[in-house]
Amino acid sequence: MEVALAGLVGILFSISIYLLISTYIIRMLLGVVLLGTSVNLSVFVVGRIGPIAPPLIPNHLEVPPQAIANPLPQALILTAIVISFSFFVFLLVLTYRAYQDLETDDTNDMRVAEPENEGLPPLGY
C-alpha cells in the first residue's frame, strides 16, 4: 500500500512540474493544486499507513498497550489543505483579473512591462 502511494506521489509530482512549466496560467494553477496534493499525500504516507490503534489510552493504563497512530501528520495535512485551498482561490482571482485586463492567459502575450515592438530594456547599469 505504501509503495503504491509513493508511486502515486511521484506521478503527481511529475504531472505538477509539467503543468507548472506551461505558458498558460490555468495549467500553472492546476500544477500548483497537484503539487499541494502530492505534498500532502507524501506527508500522509510518511506518517505510516496501516492498522494502527487510535491514540487513546485506557484509564487503567499509563502507557498505550500497543503501537498507536501519530496524529501529527493528520493535523499538518488538515492545516495544509486549508492553506492551499485559500492560496488557490487567491491565485484564481488574480488570474481572472489578469484575463479581464489582458484578454489572454498565455504568459507570452502578457508583455505589459516589456512590449515586443519597443525592443529590449537596458541590460547593464
Side-chain angles (χ1 to χ4, degrees):
M1 181 74 176
E2 292 173 350
V3 174
L5 284 176
L8 179 66
V9 167
I11 291 171
L12 285 176
F13 267 115
S14 302
I15 293 172
S16 65
I17 289 171
Y18 174 74
L19 290 173
L20 282 174
I21 60 174
S22 174
T23 60
Y24 294 98
I25 294 180
I26 295 298
R27 289 183 184 177
M28 290 180 192
L29 288 179
L30 291 176
V32 168
V33 169
L34 281 180
L35 186 65
T37 303
S38 59
V39 168
N40 291 339
L41 196 56
S42 66
V43 169
F44 187 68
V45 170
V46 169
R48 281 188 275 162
I49 298 172
I52 300 175
L56 301 173
I57 301 173
N59 287 338
H60 62 281
L61 296 176
E62 292 186 9
V63 294
Q66 58 188 2
I68 59 171
N70 187 2
L72 184 61
Q74 286 89 8
L76 289 175
I77 291 170
L78 183 62
T79 305
I81 287 171
V82 172
I83 291 171
S84 65
F85 180 72
S86 62
F87 183 63
F88 171 69
V89 170
F90 177 70
L91 290 179
L92 195 62
V93 169
L94 285 180
T95 301
Y96 182 67
R97 284 291 299 146
Y99 181 76
Q100 280 182 333
D101 287 345
L102 303 173
E103 297 178 355
T104 183
D105 67 337
D106 190 0
T107 56
N108 290 329
D109 295 336
M110 295 180 166
R111 298 178 61 98
V112 176
E114 299 174 3
E116 288 186 44
N117 299 332
E118 296 183 8
L120 294 174
L123 298 177
Y125 296 101

